[in-house]
Amino acid sequence: MTEKQKWFEEARYGLFIHWGLYSALGGQWKDTKLTRNTEWIMRQAEIPFEEYRKLADSFDPVCFDADAWVRKAVDFGCRYLCITAKHHDGFAMFDSAVSDYSIMHTPFGRDIVRELSDACRRHGIKFCVYYSQMQDWADPDGDGNYWDYDPAKKDFEAYFNNKVKPQVRELLTKYGEIGMIWFDTPYHMPRELCRELERFVHSIQPDCLINGRIGYGFGDYRQMSDNEIPSAVYHGLWETPMTLNNTWGYSKTDECWKSPEKVIRMLVDVVSKGGNLLINIGPDAAGRIPQGSVDVLDRVGAWLHKNGESIYGTVPCADSPYQLRWGGLTGRGTTAYLHLLDAAETPDRIKLCNIETRALRARLLSTGEELPAAQTYELARDEHRLIIHYPQDRLDELDTVIAVEFEEAPVFRSLYMNFEDQGGAAATARPVENKKTSGNAAEGYAE
Ligand code: GLC
């Protein structure tokens, strides 16, 4: 891992913001009503560019307050923020000398990227930009608009040289340090241009991370499919972008918000497999973040403010050979964080099987309270167990985290039995060295 990648692994949880002219339509145009990807309304309804661009004449998000948004991102527990500087519709949410099709040519006339980047810096979170490098439905040479412009006449290289590179340069030179540039839908972009773009970004800001959707395996980290979480630990840097309802851009009708429980479950799942979760919000055209998403993310944030130690900067804990019926595991060094997501699965105690490493103490992360724990090894079944009793009256309904400190980085024993090196040792049971133990270590054998 290089120095420049460290912040990304440390951050683990970011806020994606899809905001642009499409937000004014909220997924509806004449007879077209989108239930997902409302930011695609121009293409789905094949709105002529000359008509769509009129949205800029009334785009005036009077409620937009960069400082309030970034404070909210901090409340949500997000450690980076990524704004759609230019989405597929081609409209720049920043002051661009390359094209008049920008926020500066609206009644609002203020540079959104500037205000957000300044606010992120003030509040100490990484500022990142999304930039649609291949699709541009406003540019005759950009990809994707086949209803206004004849595909046979498109000169993609001209678009790449005259719009993409100059605008990417603007983004990387006018707004200070950019944590990451988030490209999307490389589709039919030629491989050489993907590589050229990667080099171009790094020639201007060598420390700016590039996501995998620059194409052809270039970039600094693997971008997972939208809303998809790998089924196992994935080594190397990666990120899953996730909608909070069923769309990225604002929707007038979609109130299907994921619950705070669900978001935390996904966050634990992603982090326990070594990745980052980029959770999305889609503000409306007035610059308001939908209340439904604020309500959910506020609760996730409150949980993170108490339990963030178990998420930020953690890595996959040693792989448990058993499925964890009660939840998930994250880790850092010699500490494992046990996320109790399903208390009903195992009322009053957590059992961790096959953990070989000696546990020193267990504590409730939110309060620091030490918990009674016992560790056993039974030779006949070649079975290690760590049993931790947790207080049922102090459960967090979202996720109760128990931090277990081990003598060294925890290791699980595989399920393959191997008696050869045991030397005939008898079964042993010992309390974990907590001050207050259950006093009955042998109960680890009870099941
Ligand atoms: C898809 C969509 C795009 C959205 C992105 C988020 O690639 O094309 O609208 O911005 O996913 O991951």
Side-chain angles (χ1 to χ4, degrees), residues 16 18 37 39-40 84 87-88 130 135 182 184-185 187 213 223-226 241-242 248:
F16 213 177
H18 275 72
N37 289 29
E39 69 288 354
W40 277 65
T84 46
H87 204 269
H88 308 329
Y130 171 109
Q135 296 201 70
W182 215 99
D184 201 8
T185 66
Y187 293 167
R213 288 195 199 166
Q223 192 71 64
M224 296 301 166
S225 269
D226 293 346
M242 183 71 68
W248 303 97

Side-chain angles (χ1 to χ4, degrees), residues 86-97:
K86 187 200 85 162
H87 204 269
H88 308 329
D89 67 359
F91 182 78
M93 297 291 273
F94 58 102
D95 184 3
S96 174

Side-chain angles (χ1 to χ4, degrees), residues 42-103:
M42 180 179 173
R43 179 158 171 178
Q44 301 298 69
E46 302 200 343
I47 306 175
F49 174 57
E50 286 311 322
E51 244 185 287
Y52 185 85
R53 72 172 305 160
K54 289 186 193 140
L55 292 171
D57 299 340
S58 53
F59 195 77
D60 193 13
V62 288
C63 303
F64 172 69
D65 174 348
D67 207 72
W69 279 21
V70 175
R71 271 189 276 116
K72 220 57 229 153
V74 172
D75 287 350
F76 294 163
C78 295
R79 294 279 167 99
Y80 58 108
L81 178 151
C82 183
I83 177 79
T84 46
K86 187 200 85 162
H87 204 269
H88 308 329
D89 67 359
F91 182 78
M93 297 291 273
F94 58 102
D95 184 3
S96 174
V98 178
S99 158
D100 283 354
Y101 194 44
S102 88
I103 190 72

Side-chain angles (χ1 to χ4, degrees), residues 37 64 72 80 107 109 123 213 217 229 238 258 269 292 350 359:
N37 289 29
F64 172 69
K72 220 57 229 153
Y80 58 108
H123 293 283
R213 288 195 199 166
I229 298 177
W238 59 272
K258 293 180 174 72
D269 195 17
I350 284 187

